[in-house]
Amino acid sequence: MTTTDTATARTTTGTAMTGTANGSASSAFRFPGRWLEGAGLVLGPVLILVGVLLKTGPGDFFPDQLAAFARDPALMTASYSAFVAGVVLLCPAVLAVTRRIGASHPRWALWGGALAVAGLFARVFHAGVSHLAAQLVEVQGLEAARQAVSAQYTSFHVFQTLNVAVLAGWIVLAVGAWRAGAFGAGVPGIARSVALGLMSAMPLGVLKGTGPMSVLAAAGLCVALVPYGVKVLKDGPAPKWWAYPLVVAAGAAAVLLGTAG
């Protein structure tokens, strides 16, 4: 072998090794990662169930919900806050389930994940409008808040186009989870897939109260996702000891900075 051939071989080998190393590094990184996914799978459904249960009692529609805000603003604020926090945490949870489905059924994963995440965005928008309506009760009084909400309740907004996604996303995701065996084989896996699909029964829109279907949907979400979240969190090494106080400190700082405006 000549000197030129040797140099070429070394260059080719080095390039191949670099490509392999870069490929391994790329495949090792996963967004949003095991901890965010596991936290979303466990905490998201639980917070939604808490939010649903805290507002049990008042009627399902906005006049009764606004009246409940007037009677007990702290309780209702806690309820709506828990619910929307759970909705946000469901985003990494859906990504985790979608990745699991996509390993064998990518089309079901694509459509189920896209529809479910789009539906979560719509629910966050609804929560923002509900928050503003609740503030009107405190600032302008109950009757003025009722009139304002009633006057704009059917007004157009871009998230109306996602109403189908809010309902259908969970069904498509549930079918994909069943076909992929994401929650296990046999009857338990089927039952948990059906439980996931029950989330489509959660009422959508602004200032929605708690009814039997709300509780069923939230409970089904817990049955489907919480055990999977525990499995995801256990499937790997525990974080370093300093990660726990760091997360607490970051959370406290975020609260302080956010409330300070």
Side-chain angles (χ1 to χ4, degrees), residues 38-53 82-83 86-87 89-90 93 97 170 183 188 191-200 202 213-231:
L41 287 161
V42 173
L43 295 179
V46 171
L47 285 172
I48 285 179
L49 181 60
V50 169
V52 164
L53 293 178
F83 187 89
V87 168
L89 284 170
L90 281 184
V97 175
W170 297 104
F183 299 136
R192 288 174 60 192
S193 297
V194 171
L196 180 65
L198 291 175
M199 185 60 183
S200 62
M202 182 71 70
M213 296 308 296
S214 305
V215 178
L216 181 64
L221 200 62
C222 289
V223 169
L225 297 186
V226 171
Y228 185 50
V230 173
K231 180 179 181 298

Side-chain angles (χ1 to χ4, degrees), residues 15 27 39 53 55 76 135-136 157 199 215 229:
T15 303
S27 62
L53 293 178
K55 58 180 176 181
M76 295 299 289
Q135 303 314 302
L136 290 176
H157 56 80
M199 185 60 183
V215 178

Side-chain angles (χ1 to χ4, degrees), residues 152-201:
Q152 65 80 42
Y153 202 78
T154 58
S155 60
F156 173 79
H157 56 80
V158 68
F159 287 98
Q160 286 176 335
T161 61
L162 297 180
N163 285 348
V164 174
V166 175
L167 302 175
W170 297 104
I171 297 175
V172 177
L173 201 65
V175 173
W178 163 64
R179 296 195 63 183
F183 299 136
V187 175
I190 295 174
R192 288 174 60 192
S193 297
V194 171
L196 180 65
L198 291 175
M199 185 60 183
S200 62

Side-chain angles (χ1 to χ4, degrees), residues 254-261:
V255 171
L256 292 175
L257 290 172
T259 54

Side-chain angles (χ1 to χ4, degrees), residues 1 3-21:
M1 181 180 290
T3 303
T4 303
D5 292 338
T6 303
T8 302
R10 287 176 179 173
T11 302
T12 303
T13 303
T15 303
M17 292 178 64
T18 302
T20 302

